[in-house]
Amino acid sequence: MKSYLSPYLSQTDEQVLNGLETSSAGITATEAITRNQLHGLNTIQVNRNGPWLILWRQMTGNPLILILAVATTVSYFLGQHISAYYIFGMILVSIFLGFWNEYAAERTVQDLLKRVSLSAVVIRGGEKIEVPVTHLTPGDMVLLAPGTIVPADLRLLEVGNLELDQSTLTGESKTVFKTASAVTKQPAGLGDFANIAFMSTVATSGWGRGVVVGIGQGTEFGKIAKTASFIKPETEFQRGLRGFGNLIIKVIIVLTVAIFSVNALLGHPILDSLLFALAIAVGLTPELLPIIVTISLSHGAGKLAKKHVIAKQLISIENLGNMDILCTDKTGTLTEGTIQVIEAVDAHGNPDPELFKYSIAANSAVHHHKVLGNAIDVALWNHAHTSKITLPDDFSKIIEQPFDYDRQAMFAVAEYDGKRRLIAKGSPEAILASCTITPALAKTAHERFVALSQQGLRVIEIGRASCRERV
């Protein structure tokens, strides 16, 4: 896969820093200001609809409004001033309702965005400081910790069991382990950029340090956001309104010409025939239809607002109402994108609740206001809290080695019930290779793993053994 990030994959740390004219101490504050002026702010440009654009769309987007405008003009010049004022009032009410709903929705979205003020921890001039994300620039040294949203495209220089959730970029809910080593293999997709932390992804566990190589619209996330800002296609409802408007225009034109022709052939004065035909045309115009459509859609927007849903365009209400089935192809888009524990079974498939205790005994998740860490470790702890699974009162963790990407497992030594135990948790292949069990039991365990995987389940395996204190 070709990307502007490809050259950074195979470069050494020194080559990356030299190319960006920075160092492990980061750039200085003065240099940061200079680079901000050169490269711009670290922001994603979005299409914003101003009040004049919204008003123009309300005036020209509905063909019925245009028909009424013509009918109003004709009525006024025919001397039917009261009728013209009446139709003009209908037009103003319809335009105002549509404008007010869309403008209020646009303002609400902008107010919500203004309340979100993100910052990043960086090293500048050898000092660790916190700066607004928008002020990041190429060459900045950024620090990552669990829960951090990656603020720009980073080339990782140092990691410690760093695991990122890239679902916002790739759609895959499975977290990805990152490395700081140079990558020589050509990546097939964004998920294979092992030493790159992409903008908008989230650090779920571990820590990292990386240098900014891309900001704003130049990032992979920025490019996706740019391509997503396309002109929206005409909806079925809009096509229906346009078709109905065209039908009315054709009917009015045909009847006007026919009535004028018949009256003229019957010997009526030409001017009287023309005025009569135009009066018929005005009478055929559905003055109330635009306002009825606008009020109905506004009512739907109001009901959605009570459920905390913002409808930025009234026309989308009709599309939502016509939807029977919504399909999505990636976990983590409309779904929560979180892992949940289903069951704990032994090699023979029998329930083994004791495995839950081992799973939280060998667990590197961190407890703050919420559980943070590896997605699987977090899921195990959340299940333990929900199921009220607790460790023995005399439980004591002697040592723990966090999940190692190369070994595909983590290890812990814990003591409880007067015994010291070694607990290993990780991929079934890695754990089975580390266990001293009979070939028959190993085969049974592998078959159980294959059967569960075929059901679409992610499987982790836990091994345990008694150990003695080393003197």
Side-chain angles (χ1 to χ4, degrees), residues 3 8 16 52 67-68 89 126 164 222 228-229 234 242 264 269 284 333 339 356 370 378 385 393 402 416 424:
S3 170
Y8 297 106
V16 173
W52 294 110
I67 295 173
L68 288 180
L164 297 183
S229 301
E234 189 178 36
R242 179 169 52 81
L284 290 173
T333 49
I339 299 175
F356 286 125
K370 65 177 182 179
V378 171
H385 290 321
D393 295 334
Y416 58 94

Side-chain angles (χ1 to χ4, degrees), residues 44-48 110 113 217 225 229:
I44 302 295
Q45 297 296 328
V46 295
N47 293 330
R48 295 181 179 178
Q110 296 305 321
L113 292 176
Q217 295 289 107
S229 301

Side-chain angles (χ1 to χ4, degrees), residues 92-236:
L92 287 181
V93 171
S94 178
I95 292 176
F96 174 76
L97 285 176
F99 169 80
W100 180 255
N101 275 279
E102 292 196 15
Y103 181 68
E106 190 73 27
R107 287 291 303 273
T108 301
V109 172
Q110 296 305 321
D111 290 342
L112 290 175
L113 292 176
K114 289 179 181 178
R115 294 180 185 180
V116 180
S117 179
L118 299 178
S119 60
V121 179
V122 302
I123 299 176
R124 283 185 178 173
E127 295 183 1
K128 186 187 299 185
I129 61 173
E130 190 171 332
V131 299
V133 166
T134 55
H135 291 175
L136 288 179
T137 189
D140 262 325
M141 199 66 61
V142 179
L143 303 180
L144 302 178
T148 302
I149 300 176
V150 180
D153 282 353
L154 309 178
R155 166 58 161 86
L156 297 171
L157 304 177
E158 191 177 2
V159 298
N161 295 311
L162 180 63
E163 197 172 356
L164 297 183
D165 178 1
Q166 298 186 158
S167 58
T168 56
L169 194 67
T170 64
E172 297 292 345
S173 62
K174 185 178 180 181
T175 54
V176 179
F177 285 93
K178 292 296 181 176
T179 179
S181 305
V183 177
T184 57
K185 183 180 179 182
Q186 183 68 23
L190 293 179
D192 298 327
F193 284 68
N195 55 8
I196 299 293
F198 295 102
M199 182 184 193
S200 81
T201 59
V202 182
T204 57
S205 64
W207 58 273
R209 180 173 63 91
V211 61
V212 176
V213 295
I215 61 172
Q217 295 289 107
T219 62
E220 291 295 339
F221 181 76
K223 293 175 183 178
I224 293 176
K226 185 177 180 179
T227 57
S229 301
F230 56 86
I231 299 176
K232 297 178 177 62
E234 189 178 36
T235 66
E236 189 64 34

Side-chain angles (χ1 to χ4, degrees), residues 29 41 68 78 81 123 129-130 155 218 294 297 302 325 339 343 346 353 397 400 416 430 453 465:
L41 295 178
L68 288 180
L78 290 178
H81 293 172
I123 299 176
I129 61 173
E130 190 171 332
R155 166 58 161 86
T294 304
L297 296 179
I325 300 174
I339 299 175
E343 60 180 348
D346 60 19
K397 187 179 293 187
E400 179 181 88
Y416 58 94
S453 298

Side-chain angles (χ1 to χ4, degrees), residues 376-398:
I376 292 179
D377 286 344
V378 171
L380 291 169
W381 263 116
N382 288 336
H383 178 78
H385 290 321
T386 303
S387 304
K388 297 182 179 181
I389 299 172
T390 58
L391 294 170
D393 295 334
D394 61 342
F395 174 83
S396 174
K397 187 179 293 187
I398 309 301

